[in-house]
PDB file of all heavy atoms in Angstrom:
ATOM      1  N   THR A  36     -46.721 -47.548  91.190  1.00 96.00           N
ATOM      2  CA  THR A  36     -46.301 -48.173  89.945  1.00 96.00           C
ATOM      3  C   THR A  36     -46.672 -49.675  90.035  1.00 96.00           C
ATOM      4  O   THR A  36     -46.117 -50.389  90.840  1.00 96.00           O
ATOM      5  CB  THR A  36     -44.767 -48.044  89.771  1.00 96.00           C
ATOM      6  OG1 THR A  36     -44.461 -46.648  89.821  1.00 96.00           O
ATOM      7  CG2 THR A  36     -44.306 -48.614  88.441  1.00 96.00           C
ATOM      8  N   PRO A  37     -47.626 -50.111  89.226  1.00 95.00           N
ATOM      9  CA  PRO A  37     -48.033 -51.516  89.281  1.00 95.00           C
ATOM     10  C   PRO A  37     -46.985 -52.406  88.635  1.00 95.00           C
ATOM     11  O   PRO A  37     -46.080 -51.919  87.969  1.00 95.00           O
ATOM     12  CB  PRO A  37     -49.330 -51.544  88.481  1.00 95.00           C
ATOM     13  CG  PRO A  37     -49.231 -50.381  87.552  1.00 95.00           C
ATOM     14  CD  PRO A  37     -48.330 -49.351  88.161  1.00 95.00           C
ATOM     15  N   THR A  38     -47.098 -53.715  88.807  1.00 96.00           N
ATOM     16  CA  THR A  38     -46.155 -54.608  88.152  1.00 96.00           C
ATOM     17  C   THR A  38     -46.381 -54.605  86.647  1.00 96.00           C
ATOM     18  O   THR A  38     -45.469 -54.868  85.865  1.00 96.00           O
ATOM     19  CB  THR A  38     -46.307 -56.062  88.676  1.00 96.00           C
ATOM     20  OG1 THR A  38     -47.677 -56.440  88.623  1.00 96.00           O
ATOM     21  CG2 THR A  38     -45.821 -56.197  90.127  1.00 96.00           C
ATOM     22  N   ALA A  39     -47.592 -54.270  86.207  1.00 96.00           N
ATOM     23  CA  ALA A  39     -47.897 -54.109  84.776  1.00 96.00           C
ATOM     24  C   ALA A  39     -49.077 -53.130  84.680  1.00 96.00           C
ATOM     25  O   ALA A  39     -49.904 -53.094  85.578  1.00 96.00           O
ATOM     26  CB  ALA A  39     -48.265 -55.450  84.149  1.00 96.00           C
ATOM     27  N   GLY A  40     -49.109 -52.395  83.590  1.00 95.00           N
ATOM     28  CA  GLY A  40     -50.228 -51.475  83.407  1.00 95.00           C
ATOM     29  C   GLY A  40     -49.892 -50.042  83.774  1.00 95.00           C
ATOM     30  O   GLY A  40     -48.802 -49.768  84.255  1.00 95.00           O
ATOM     31  N   PRO A  41     -50.847 -49.119  83.547  1.00 96.00           N
ATOM     32  CA  PRO A  41     -50.585 -47.720  83.803  1.00 96.00           C
ATOM     33  C   PRO A  41     -50.374 -47.402  85.279  1.00 96.00           C
ATOM     34  O   PRO A  41     -50.884 -48.114  86.145  1.00 96.00           O
ATOM     35  CB  PRO A  41     -51.840 -47.008  83.274  1.00 96.00           C
ATOM     36  CG  PRO A  41     -52.810 -48.057  82.913  1.00 96.00           C
ATOM     37  CD  PRO A  41     -52.187 -49.384  83.032  1.00 96.00           C
ATOM     38  N   GLU A  42     -49.650 -46.299  85.535  1.00 96.00           N
ATOM     39  CA  GLU A  42     -49.464 -45.869  86.932  1.00 96.00           C
ATOM     40  C   GLU A  42     -50.807 -45.415  87.492  1.00 96.00           C
ATOM     41  O   GLU A  42     -51.698 -45.023  86.745  1.00 96.00           O
ATOM     42  CB  GLU A  42     -48.427 -44.734  86.967  1.00 96.00           C
ATOM     43  CG  GLU A  42     -47.032 -45.251  86.659  1.00 96.00           C
ATOM     44  CD  GLU A  42     -45.998 -44.162  86.803  1.00 96.00           C
ATOM     45  OE1 GLU A  42     -46.126 -43.170  86.058  1.00 96.00           O
ATOM     46  OE2 GLU A  42     -45.081 -44.329  87.615  1.00 96.00           O
ATOM     47  N   VAL A  43     -50.909 -45.474  88.812  1.00 97.00           N
ATOM     48  CA  VAL A  43     -52.192 -45.221  89.476  1.00 97.00           C
ATOM     49  C   VAL A  43     -52.057 -44.076  90.470  1.00 97.00           C
ATOM     50  O   VAL A  43     -51.171 -44.083  91.321  1.00 97.00           O
ATOM     51  CB  VAL A  43     -52.670 -46.511  90.180  1.00 97.00           C
ATOM     52  CG1 VAL A  43     -53.928 -46.243  90.999  1.00 97.00           C
ATOM     53  CG2 VAL A  43     -52.966 -47.610  89.154  1.00 97.00           C
ATOM     54  N   LEU A  44     -52.957 -43.125  90.325  1.00 97.00           N
ATOM     55  CA  LEU A  44     -52.978 -41.931  91.173  1.00 97.00           C
ATOM     56  C   LEU A  44     -53.916 -42.249  92.362  1.00 97.00           C
ATOM     57  O   LEU A  44     -55.040 -42.665  92.170  1.00 97.00           O
ATOM     58  CB  LEU A  44     -53.575 -40.824  90.319  1.00 97.00           C
ATOM     59  CG  LEU A  44     -53.506 -39.386  90.719  1.00 97.00           C
ATOM     60  CD1 LEU A  44     -52.065 -38.942  90.884  1.00 97.00           C
ATOM     61  CD2 LEU A  44     -54.187 -38.551  89.613  1.00 97.00           C
ATOM     62  N   ASP A  45     -53.414 -42.040  93.579  1.00 96.00           N
ATOM     63  CA  ASP A  45     -54.195 -42.356  94.780  1.00 96.00           C
ATOM     64  C   ASP A  45     -54.983 -41.110  95.223  1.00 96.00           C
ATOM     65  O   ASP A  45     -54.400 -40.136  95.716  1.00 96.00           O
ATOM     66  CB  ASP A  45     -53.250 -42.818  95.894  1.00 96.00           C
ATOM     67  CG  ASP A  45     -53.980 -43.229  97.155  1.00 96.00           C
ATOM     68  OD1 ASP A  45     -55.189 -42.927  97.273  1.00 96.00           O
ATOM     69  OD2 ASP A  45     -53.348 -43.852  98.031  1.00 96.00           O
ATOM     70  N   ILE A  46     -56.313 -41.178  95.035  1.00 96.00           N
ATOM     71  CA  ILE A  46     -57.144 -39.988  95.378  1.00 96.00           C
ATOM     72  C   ILE A  46     -57.944 -40.209  96.636  1.00 96.00           C
ATOM     73  O   ILE A  46     -58.880 -39.479  96.934  1.00 96.00           O
ATOM     74  CB  ILE A  46     -58.083 -39.633  94.190  1.00 96.00           C
ATOM     75  CG1 ILE A  46     -58.955 -40.867  93.805  1.00 96.00           C
ATOM     76  CG2 ILE A  46     -57.324 -39.092  93.004  1.00 96.00           C
ATOM     77  CD1 ILE A  46     -60.168 -40.512  93.008  1.00 96.00           C
ATOM     78  N   ARG A  47     -57.562 -41.238  97.425  1.00 95.00           N
ATOM     79  CA  ARG A  47     -58.405 -41.562  98.582  1.00 95.00           C
ATOM     80  C   ARG A  47     -58.541 -40.413  99.569  1.00 95.00           C
ATOM     81  O   ARG A  47     -59.588 -40.252 100.199  1.00 95.00           O
ATOM     82  CB  ARG A  47     -57.857 -42.808  99.305  1.00 95.00           C
ATOM     83  CG  ARG A  47     -58.223 -44.076  98.572  1.00 95.00           C
ATOM     84  CD  ARG A  47     -57.638 -45.294  99.245  1.00 95.00           C
ATOM     85  NE  ARG A  47     -56.175 -45.257  99.209  1.00 95.00           N
ATOM     86  CZ  ARG A  47     -55.376 -46.123  99.818  1.00 95.00           C
ATOM     87  NH1 ARG A  47     -55.919 -47.092 100.525  1.00 95.00           N
ATOM     88  NH2 ARG A  47     -54.063 -46.033  99.718  1.00 95.00           N
TER      89      ARG A  47
END
Side-chain angles (χ1 to χ4, degrees):
T36 304
T38 51
E42 290 184 300
V43 173
L44 195 59
D45 183 346
I46 55 162
R47 282 178 296 174

